[in-house]
Amino acid sequence: MSSFYSLIQSCQSDWDNYIQHEFIQQLGKGTLDIACFQHYLKQDYLFLINFSRAWGLAVYKSHDLIEIKQSLNSLKAIVEVELDLHIEYCKKWQITENELNLLTEAKANSEYTGYVLDVGLHGDILDLHIVLAPCLIGYSMIADWLTKQHWYDANNNRYNSWVNMYASKEFQQTMQNEIAWIDQRLVNLDASRIEHLTKLFRQATKLETGFWQMGLDKSI
Protein backbone atom coordinates (compact mmCIF):
# COMPACT_ATOMS: atom_id res chain seq x y z
CA MET A 1 0.00 0.00 0.00
CA SER A 2 1.34 3.44 -0.94
CA SER A 3 0.95 6.64 1.02
CA PHE A 4 1.90 10.27 0.60
CA TYR A 5 4.98 9.66 2.74
CA SER A 6 6.05 6.88 0.38
CA LEU A 7 5.99 9.46 -2.43
CA ILE A 8 8.34 11.63 -0.38
CA GLN A 9 10.63 8.67 0.32
CA SER A 10 10.78 7.86 -3.39
CA CYS A 11 12.43 11.23 -4.07
CA GLN A 12 13.81 12.03 -0.62
CA SER A 13 16.84 14.02 -1.76
CA ASP A 14 14.69 16.27 -3.97
CA TRP A 15 12.25 16.75 -1.10
CA ASP A 16 15.04 17.60 1.35
CA ASN A 17 16.49 20.10 -1.13
CA TYR A 18 13.09 21.78 -1.20
CA ILE A 19 12.33 21.69 2.53
CA GLN A 20 15.83 22.70 3.58
CA HIS A 21 16.67 25.10 0.74
CA GLU A 22 19.13 27.91 1.44
CA PHE A 23 16.29 30.43 1.10
CA ILE A 24 14.43 28.64 3.91
CA GLN A 25 17.51 28.33 6.09
CA GLN A 26 18.34 32.03 5.76
CA LEU A 27 14.70 32.90 6.44
CA GLY A 28 14.73 30.72 9.56
CA LYS A 29 17.95 32.31 10.78
CA GLY A 30 16.63 35.80 10.05
CA THR A 31 19.56 36.54 7.74
CA LEU A 32 17.64 36.50 4.46
CA ASP A 33 17.99 39.73 2.49
CA ILE A 34 14.71 41.64 2.75
CA ALA A 35 14.82 42.27 -1.00
CA CYS A 36 14.83 38.49 -1.56
CA PHE A 37 11.81 38.05 0.70
CA GLN A 38 9.98 40.90 -1.01
CA HIS A 39 10.68 39.38 -4.41
CA TYR A 40 9.33 36.05 -3.18
CA LEU A 41 6.18 37.71 -1.79
CA LYS A 42 5.51 39.50 -5.07
CA GLN A 43 5.87 36.34 -7.11
CA ASP A 44 3.80 34.42 -4.59
CA TYR A 45 0.93 36.79 -5.30
CA LEU A 46 1.01 35.76 -8.96
CA PHE A 47 1.34 32.15 -7.89
CA LEU A 48 -1.82 32.40 -5.77
CA ILE A 49 -3.77 33.66 -8.76
CA ASN A 50 -2.74 30.63 -10.78
CA PHE A 51 -3.28 28.46 -7.72
CA SER A 52 -6.92 29.56 -7.78
CA ARG A 53 -7.14 28.54 -11.44
CA ALA A 54 -5.82 25.11 -10.46
CA TRP A 55 -8.60 24.74 -7.91
CA GLY A 56 -11.06 25.79 -10.61
CA LEU A 57 -9.77 22.83 -12.61
CA ALA A 58 -10.17 20.64 -9.53
CA VAL A 59 -13.85 21.59 -9.40
CA TYR A 60 -14.24 20.46 -13.02
CA LYS A 61 -12.22 17.28 -12.49
CA SER A 62 -14.14 16.26 -9.35
CA HIS A 63 -15.90 12.89 -9.43
CA ASP A 64 -18.83 13.66 -7.14
CA LEU A 65 -20.59 16.42 -5.25
CA ILE A 66 -18.41 15.99 -2.16
CA GLU A 67 -15.24 16.58 -4.20
CA ILE A 68 -16.88 19.49 -6.02
CA LYS A 69 -17.69 21.16 -2.70
CA GLN A 70 -14.19 20.53 -1.32
CA SER A 71 -12.52 21.97 -4.42
CA LEU A 72 -14.90 24.91 -4.53
CA ASN A 73 -14.19 25.71 -0.88
CA SER A 74 -10.46 25.72 -1.62
CA LEU A 75 -11.03 27.99 -4.62
CA LYS A 76 -13.16 30.40 -2.59
CA ALA A 77 -10.62 30.41 0.26
CA ILE A 78 -7.92 31.66 -2.09
CA VAL A 79 -10.02 34.15 -4.05
CA GLU A 80 -12.09 35.52 -1.17
CA VAL A 81 -9.63 35.29 1.73
CA GLU A 82 -5.99 34.39 1.01
CA LEU A 83 -5.35 36.87 -1.78
CA ASP A 84 -6.66 39.76 0.35
CA LEU A 85 -4.57 38.57 3.30
CA HIS A 86 -1.52 38.33 1.06
CA ILE A 87 -2.05 41.88 -0.20
CA GLU A 88 -2.24 43.14 3.39
CA TYR A 89 0.82 41.13 4.38
CA CYS A 90 2.76 42.57 1.44
CA LYS A 91 1.92 46.08 2.63
CA LYS A 92 3.78 45.31 5.87
CA TRP A 93 6.84 44.69 3.71
CA GLN A 94 6.45 47.96 1.79
CA ILE A 95 4.86 46.33 -1.27
CA THR A 96 1.81 48.18 -2.55
CA GLU A 97 -1.20 46.60 -4.22
CA ASN A 98 -0.44 48.66 -7.31
CA GLU A 99 3.03 47.05 -7.50
CA LEU A 100 1.44 43.61 -7.29
CA ASN A 101 -0.90 44.42 -10.16
CA LEU A 102 2.01 45.48 -12.39
CA LEU A 103 4.31 42.53 -11.78
CA THR A 104 6.18 40.55 -14.40
CA GLU A 105 5.96 36.84 -13.75
CA ALA A 106 9.35 35.24 -13.12
CA LYS A 107 10.41 32.29 -15.27
CA ALA A 108 10.57 29.92 -12.27
CA ASN A 109 7.05 30.98 -11.34
CA SER A 110 5.54 30.48 -14.79
CA GLU A 111 7.34 27.15 -15.20
CA TYR A 112 5.85 25.82 -11.98
CA THR A 113 2.32 27.11 -12.41
CA GLY A 114 2.36 26.17 -16.09
CA TYR A 115 3.28 22.63 -15.10
CA VAL A 116 0.52 22.44 -12.48
CA LEU A 117 -2.13 23.73 -14.89
CA ASP A 118 -0.95 21.43 -17.69
CA VAL A 119 -1.17 18.40 -15.40
CA GLY A 120 -4.58 19.59 -14.24
CA LEU A 121 -5.83 19.92 -17.81
CA HIS A 122 -4.57 16.55 -19.04
CA GLY A 123 -4.69 14.46 -15.86
CA ASP A 124 -7.33 13.65 -13.27
CA ILE A 125 -8.05 15.21 -9.89
CA LEU A 126 -5.50 12.99 -8.10
CA ASP A 127 -2.78 14.09 -10.53
CA LEU A 128 -3.68 17.68 -9.76
CA HIS A 129 -3.54 17.19 -5.99
CA ILE A 130 -0.18 15.44 -6.31
CA VAL A 131 1.44 18.37 -8.14
CA LEU A 132 -0.11 20.82 -5.68
CA ALA A 133 1.12 18.80 -2.69
CA PRO A 134 4.62 20.33 -2.44
CA CYS A 135 2.90 23.65 -1.81
CA LEU A 136 -0.18 22.49 0.10
CA ILE A 137 1.71 20.10 2.35
CA GLY A 138 5.30 21.25 1.95
CA TYR A 139 4.86 24.68 3.51
CA SER A 140 3.56 23.12 6.73
CA MET A 141 6.46 20.68 6.79
CA ILE A 142 8.89 23.53 6.18
CA ALA A 143 7.51 25.47 9.13
CA ASP A 144 7.64 22.36 11.30
CA TRP A 145 11.25 21.66 10.23
CA LEU A 146 12.32 25.24 10.91
CA THR A 147 10.86 25.40 14.40
CA LYS A 148 12.73 22.22 15.35
CA GLN A 149 16.18 23.57 14.38
CA HIS A 150 18.44 24.55 17.27
CA TRP A 151 19.35 27.80 15.50
CA TYR A 152 15.78 28.94 15.01
CA ASP A 153 15.04 31.94 17.27
CA ALA A 154 11.31 32.63 17.35
CA ASN A 155 11.77 35.80 19.41
CA ASN A 156 14.34 37.58 17.28
CA ASN A 157 13.44 36.82 13.69
CA ARG A 158 11.80 39.39 11.43
CA TYR A 159 10.34 36.55 9.36
CA ASN A 160 8.70 34.89 12.34
CA SER A 161 5.20 35.94 11.20
CA TRP A 162 5.69 33.93 7.99
CA VAL A 163 6.81 30.85 9.90
CA ASN A 164 3.95 31.17 12.38
CA MET A 165 1.44 31.34 9.55
CA TYR A 166 2.38 27.87 8.33
CA ALA A 167 3.14 26.42 11.75
CA SER A 168 -0.35 27.35 12.98
CA LYS A 169 -2.73 24.61 14.13
CA GLU A 170 -5.16 25.59 11.38
CA PHE A 171 -2.62 25.21 8.58
CA GLN A 172 -1.18 22.04 10.09
CA GLN A 173 -4.69 20.56 10.18
CA THR A 174 -5.18 21.53 6.55
CA MET A 175 -1.98 19.63 5.76
CA GLN A 176 -3.18 16.54 7.63
CA ASN A 177 -6.53 16.67 5.83
CA GLU A 178 -4.79 16.83 2.46
CA ILE A 179 -2.48 13.92 3.33
CA ALA A 180 -5.52 11.87 4.38
CA TRP A 181 -7.30 12.75 1.11
CA ILE A 182 -4.32 11.65 -0.96
CA ASP A 183 -3.72 8.49 1.10
CA GLN A 184 -7.30 7.35 0.54
CA ARG A 185 -6.83 7.61 -3.22
CA LEU A 186 -3.45 5.88 -3.32
CA VAL A 187 -4.88 2.67 -1.88
CA ASN A 188 -4.70 -0.31 -4.25
CA LEU A 189 -3.26 1.63 -7.20
CA ASP A 190 -1.08 -0.47 -9.48
CA ALA A 191 2.66 0.00 -9.78
CA SER A 192 2.52 1.90 -13.08
CA ARG A 193 0.05 4.43 -11.69
CA ILE A 194 2.19 4.96 -8.57
CA GLU A 195 5.24 5.41 -10.77
CA HIS A 196 3.42 8.06 -12.80
CA LEU A 197 2.30 9.93 -9.68
CA THR A 198 5.84 9.75 -8.29
CA LYS A 199 7.20 11.39 -11.44
CA LEU A 200 4.61 14.15 -11.17
CA PHE A 201 5.44 14.70 -7.51
CA ARG A 202 9.20 14.75 -8.09
CA GLN A 203 8.91 17.31 -10.87
CA ALA A 204 6.58 19.55 -8.86
CA THR A 205 9.01 19.36 -5.93
CA LYS A 206 11.92 20.39 -8.14
CA LEU A 207 9.90 23.32 -9.52
CA GLU A 208 9.04 24.43 -5.98
CA THR A 209 12.75 24.32 -5.18
CA GLY A 210 13.29 26.56 -8.19
CA PHE A 211 10.79 28.98 -6.70
CA TRP A 212 12.97 29.35 -3.59
CA GLN A 213 16.05 29.81 -5.76
CA MET A 214 14.21 32.49 -7.71
CA GLY A 215 13.59 34.33 -4.43
CA LEU A 216 17.19 33.97 -3.36
CA ASP A 217 18.50 35.20 -6.72
CA LYS A 218 15.78 37.85 -7.16
CA SER A 219 15.54 36.53 -10.70
CA ILE A 220 12.94 37.21 -13.37
Side-chain angles (χ1 to χ4, degrees):
M1 182 183 296
S2 295
S3 68
F4 178 74
Y5 286 101
S6 69
L7 291 180
I8 292 179
Q9 291 169 1
S10 69
C11 51
Q12 191 69 58
S13 61
D14 292 315
W15 186 255
D16 290 344
N17 288 339
Y18 166 52
I19 295 293
Q20 302 171 26
H21 191 274
E22 183 63 23
F23 181 96
I24 293 300
Q25 295 199 40
Q26 289 185 25
L27 184 148
K29 294 173 183 176
T31 60
L32 182 67
D33 186 340
I34 290 179
C36 293
F37 189 65
Q38 289 171 322
H39 183 62
Y40 155 76
L41 287 177
K42 291 175 183 178
Q43 290 298 315
D44 199 39
Y45 172 76
L46 297 178
F47 175 82
L48 283 172
I49 292 173
N50 280 317
F51 205 45
S52 68
R53 292 189 176 103
W55 281 116
L57 278 173
V59 172
Y60 176 71
K61 296 284 183 170
S62 295
H63 297 110
D64 53 41
L65 186 58
I66 293 175
E67 284 188 350
I68 289 173
K69 288 181 176 179
Q70 290 173 336
S71 299
L72 181 59
N73 286 337
S74 295
L75 172 59
K76 291 173 68 176
I78 295 174
V79 175
E80 298 178 355
V81 179
E82 289 187 42
L83 277 165
D84 287 339
L85 290 175
H86 191 80
I87 290 169
E88 290 305 308
Y89 188 69
C90 283
K91 288 178 181 177
K92 296 178 181 179
W93 292 91
Q94 292 76 52
I95 303 168
T96 68
E97 186 172 356
N98 186 56
E99 283 182 83
L100 295 175
N101 291 328
L102 296 174
L103 287 172
T104 297
E105 189 173 26
K107 181 181 178 182
N109 196 350
S110 60
E111 285 180 346
Y112 181 34
T113 57
Y115 179 73
V116 169
L117 293 171
D118 185 64
V119 169
L121 282 168
H122 296 97
D124 63 16
I125 192 169
L126 179 56
D127 293 330
L128 187 53
H129 275 257
I130 290 299
V131 294
L132 290 171
C135 180
L136 285 171
I137 297 171
Y139 271 45
S140 287
M141 291 189 174
I142 285 169
D144 182 61
W145 179 78
L146 277 176
T147 56
K148 290 178 179 177
Q149 302 311 302
H150 67 86
W151 39 257
Y152 179 70
D153 186 354
N155 298 315
N156 298 289
N157 187 333
R158 57 190 170 190
Y159 303 115
N160 192 45
S161 59
W162 187 91
V163 178
N164 286 341
M165 191 186 322
Y166 298 110
S168 68
K169 289 182 179 179
E170 181 181 26
F171 204 90
Q172 292 290 321
Q173 186 59 56
T174 299
M175 176 191 76
Q176 293 300 330
N177 292 343
E178 181 65 15
I179 290 174
W181 189 96
I182 290 174
D183 282 352
Q184 288 173 1
R185 284 151 183 83
L186 292 178
V187 174
N188 298 325
L189 294 182
D190 61 36
S192 62
R193 179 69 171 129
I194 293 296
E195 183 181 0
H196 174 69
L197 293 173
T198 301
K199 289 180 180 177
L200 294 180
F201 181 72
R202 180 183 291 112
Q203 181 62 15
T205 299
K206 289 180 177 179
L207 290 168
E208 271 281 16
T209 303
F211 203 91
W212 293 141
Q213 193 62 47
M214 170 208 69
L216 201 60
D217 296 340
K218 303 189 290 290
S219 60
I220 295 294

